[in-house]
């Protein structure tokens, strides 16, 4: 069953919503809204990874994400909270506050102890592929075969996580759309996602509003919903299970329809959406 991961960026400089939710109260309200729209997971991040983004200290990242994770993961929360970080201290504080997933876009290159931390806390860990660093990654992305290379990288980082004591069942994998990739690399990865699913772990996919969609459609960053929906639906068909997006309601709806068409969901069992008419036309 597809799971939607709603993006809560507590940053001044994220590529599409930088500055909108830097105020913790706004970020918390936004997270609650995404949960109401059907996000099963909220991914809270305090450092932008857009190409060329400036690095942020652990103290600053903690100050940004701490109150937001605490509020969204607190008692009675109906969603799971994920912390988008590669810093051990930030991950630790988020798990203390009730987060259950660490989303590490450096796949343990930032700090391999994150794997041991996840093991100790029974938390899940997302290992994402990136070529280079956010500062350099879009300069000259180069692969022998992008899918084979990403697969080999993810298998190797998964081995490292296992050696650090994390059990395989706690690991999710992500090809890192837009992280050191040309448009063609992104398209090839989306087309051949099944080869990554064959590793045997759930695949997380993040295409939301990314620049390759702009290059394909000529649309600005806040006009990429159509491209976001299309790429997520096709990623679902190709084997992705977790969809990291800004626009939860629209992607959730598209995935529900796509799952029914693909015969992966019995639509009769689904709850009627708010305001749905009983008579079908
Ligand atoms: N993409 C971004 C950030 N974190 N994590 C995973 N697992 N997969 C992704 O594709 C991914 C990610 C970049 O998107 P966004 O958070 O919207 O922007 P920024 O990094 O500028 O805050």
């Amino acid at each position: 069953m597809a799971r939607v991961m709603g993006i809560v960026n507590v940053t001044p400089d994220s590529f599409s919503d930088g500055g909108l939710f830097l105020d913790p109260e706004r970020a918390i309200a936004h997270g609650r809204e995404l949960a109401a729209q059907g996000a099963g997971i909220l991914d809270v991040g305090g450092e932008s990874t857009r190409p060329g983004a400036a690095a942020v200290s652990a103290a600053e990242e903690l100050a940004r994400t701490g109150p937001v994770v605490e509020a969204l993961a607190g008692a009675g929360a109906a969603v799971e909270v994920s912390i988008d970080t590669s810093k051990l201290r930030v991950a630790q504080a988020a798990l203390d506050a009730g987060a259950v997933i660490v989303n590490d876009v450096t796949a343990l290159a930032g700090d391999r102890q994150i794997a041991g931390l996840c093991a100790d806390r029974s938390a899940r860990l997302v290992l994402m592929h990136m070529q280079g660093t956010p500062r350099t990654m879009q300069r000259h992305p180069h692969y022998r075969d992008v899918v084979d290379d990403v697969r080999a990288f993810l298998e190797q980082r998964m081995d490292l996580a296992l050696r650090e004591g994390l059990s395989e069942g706690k690991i999710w994998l992500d090809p890192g759309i837009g992280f050191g990739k040309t448009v063609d690399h992104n398209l090839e990865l989306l087309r051949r996602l099944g080869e990554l699913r064959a590793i045997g772990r759930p695949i997380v996919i993040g295409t939301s509003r990314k620049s390759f969609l702009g290059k394909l459609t000529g649309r600005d960053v806040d006009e990429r919903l159509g491209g976001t929906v299309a790429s997520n639906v096709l990623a679902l068909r190709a084997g992705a299970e977790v969809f990291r997006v800004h626009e939860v309601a629209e992607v959730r709806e598209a995935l529900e329809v796509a799952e029914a068409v693909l015969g992966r969901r019995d639509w009769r069992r689904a709850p009627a959406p708010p305001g749905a008419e009983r008579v079908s036309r």
Side-chain angles (χ1 to χ4, degrees):
M1 179 78 185
R3 305 191 66 187
V4 177
M5 180 187 252
I7 300 171
V8 183
N9 280 328
V10 199
T11 58
D13 57 347
S14 285
F15 79 94
S16 79
D17 54 3
L20 284 182
F21 309 111
L22 188 57
D23 167 25
E25 288 310 317
R26 279 194 176 205
I28 292 162
H30 183 59
R32 291 193 173 130
E33 171 63 24
L34 296 184
Q37 291 178 11
I41 304 166
L42 296 174
D43 190 37
V44 179
E47 177 175 28
S48 171
T49 52
R50 77 184 154 75
V56 172
S57 70
E60 178 62 29
E61 218 181 303
L62 266 175
R64 290 179 187 171
T65 56
V68 178
V69 171
E70 210 162 296
L72 295 176
V79 282
E80 293 187 325
V81 171
S82 151
I83 179 77
D84 187 349
T85 192
S86 50
K87 296 189 184 76
L88 184 67
R89 261 178 70 200
V90 178
Q92 210 156 13
L95 296 182
D96 286 346
V100 291
I101 302 168
V102 178
N103 175 23
D104 180 6
V105 299
T106 72
L108 303 177
D111 195 330
R112 64 164 61 190
Q113 290 183 63
I114 284 182
L117 171 74
C118 289
D120 290 345
R121 308 294 187 84
S122 282
R124 269 158 283 157
L125 175 62
V126 181
L127 297 171
M128 195 197 79
H129 175 273
M130 178 179 349
Q131 188 174 82
T133 65
R135 197 165 273 286
T136 62
M137 65 190 180
Q138 287 307 104
R139 282 187 198 154
H140 300 291
H142 181 77
Y143 298 89
R144 197 177 42 82
D145 174 297
V146 67
V147 180
D148 290 351
D149 291 3
V150 167
R151 179 179 171 148
F153 172 91
L154 291 174
E155 284 175 336
Q156 184 238 327
R157 303 316 283 179
M158 195 163 120
D159 280 349
L160 173 61
L162 298 177
R163 285 202 303 279
E164 294 287 318
L166 189 62
S167 56
E168 194 174 323
K170 295 290 185 187
I171 298 173
W172 290 354
L173 303 174
D174 185 331
I177 296 295
F179 286 85
K181 279 118 188 158
T182 62
V183 174
D184 286 319
H185 292 145
N186 291 321
L187 294 177
E188 184 85 7
L189 282 163
L190 287 168
R191 205 174 289 136
R192 293 168 55 197
L193 221 44
E195 293 173 46
L196 302 181
R197 184 66 190 88
I199 298 172
R201 300 307 311 146
I203 299 295
V204 180
I205 198 81
T207 66
S208 193
R209 297 180 181 168
K210 284 188 178 169
S211 71
F212 81 106
L213 298 174
K215 290 190 181 132
L216 294 174
T217 61
R219 296 285 185 174
D220 283 341
V221 70
D222 53 351
E223 299 173 333
R224 295 179 186 159
L225 179 57
T228 296
V229 166
S231 51
N232 278 287
V233 164
L234 289 166
L236 170 84
R237 192 172 69 172
E241 281 167 52
V242 182
F243 303 82
R244 184 181 182 279
V245 295
H246 300 87
E247 283 121 331
V248 166
E250 292 84 351
V251 173
R252 166 87 267 154
E253 195 177 312
L255 292 174
E256 276 168 6
V257 172
E259 283 188 308
V261 173
L262 292 168
R264 297 187 194 168
R265 183 175 76 87
D266 179 358
W267 63 270
R268 287 176 193 80
R269 287 212 204 143
E277 290 179 32
R278 297 234 162 256
V279 183
S280 120
R281 282 178 232 186

